[in-house]
Amino acid sequence: MKKRLTLAVAIAAALIVVIAAQKIQPPKVIAPINITHLAEIIRSNPQLYEALVKYLAELGIEIPTPPVARPTNITIELNQTAVLAGSAVLVKGRLTAQDRPLSDKIIAIYLDGRLAAYAKTDSQGEYKAVVKIDIYKPQAAIKAEFKPLPNEFYRSSNATATIKILYYNTEIRLNAPKTAVWGDEITIQITQYPPVQRKVVITAGAYTTAVTITSSATIAIPTSMLSPGAQQIVAYAEPAGPYAPAANYTQIIITAEKPQITLLAPRIAIAGAPIDIKINVTPPLQYSVYIGGRSFTNAVPIETPTGPAAITVKTKPSPPYAAAEISATLYVINILQLAPLALIPIIAVTLRKAVSTTPSRIAAEISSAAPRRVFTLIEQEVITLLVHVFYKLGERSGRHYQRKMTYREYAKIIEKHAFDPNCLKYVVELAERTFYSPTTPTPIEMQTAWICAQRL
């Protein structure tokens, strides 16, 4: 039909062109006429199309009109107005067009906006479908809708009916400990009311399990499947016939212990050469070593550039121990990347400073920074304490104390390398009070300071 209409309009357009050509016109140069394009222009302009139809009518030529989509009407009936959740309802009705039945048409049935079933009309235009009521709310809408296919000249139609739903509200409860150590099992008590046999799905992080219960059940969840920190445990009881679903949750804090790591490494190394590193992990966990972000086995990675590089030890998480890491600074000399002569003086100064760093030199630097040169026995013990702490953390960080810095300024630099920053703060404040105030540390304070020094 569409092709016939297009052809007719194209013929009419051609007639207009021919008739216009009969009039005396001055000569013009024109492009070849595209009849199909001309027909589309006429059809898209209502006034032009109306004038063309009128003109063709005077010539006795009729243009066929496209068929108009016929309106449809659909009805819906339910075999009951109230239904128990979990059961089904019969949906039926009739589809007509101009009071005539439409057969072999597909009807879509929706429950509360969700597609629930399909039906097909018979020779009388009637349809039937059984819809399961699997929602739990006081009432819901059931809609029957007819949507014509692209080649059917019908309009869509729909009808809606409301149904009451009867069901029982249910409740589920969880009883679980507030905290647990990572790696232990936690026991969860699940109870529900009213008692009904159904499946309950328990989710904790990425861990999921299920259990079938009637009134109560106890399950064990391995915390090794979870991550340390706050975890939410959710229980979902699936619906069972007229019994509505239920859900509840609780929160548990999973704690992990931190392993202790010590790292002793030289301050200077040659890229590509082996170095001796002493690592102690308590308890003995698996760990990895990196130099400048590159994996380390026995030798410094050959591609490590000249300059300071972080040497890092990282432990792998292993319940009940969380992952941990420690770092120190290593000065790497990459001979392949050095200019032959320009950097030799810099390397010599660096090596000389590294070799000359000893506890006695640190003691001299600390004593020079004090406001006086004669020290009492207790002040000498404080210097010895400070030397012990500063030298240990200086070796670990790769940067030793110099008297141009205050004790507190240096403590801020090495603080991240201390196993217990609070202990470092205690020792430094004790030293400042000893040298810059009239007070003298008590024996208990000194004992506490030495214990703190061992924790660093």
Side-chain angles (χ1 to χ4, degrees), residues 350-361:
T350 303
L351 290 172
R352 186 165 57 254
K353 287 185 177 180
V355 172
S356 63
T357 301
T358 61
S360 59
R361 193 191 69 81

Side-chain angles (χ1 to χ4, degrees), residues 245-262:
N248 206 340
Y249 72 93
T250 187
Q251 184 171 280
I252 185 171
I253 304 297
I254 299 176
T255 60
E257 298 183 24
K258 187 176 181 180
Q260 297 296 320
I261 311 173
T262 58

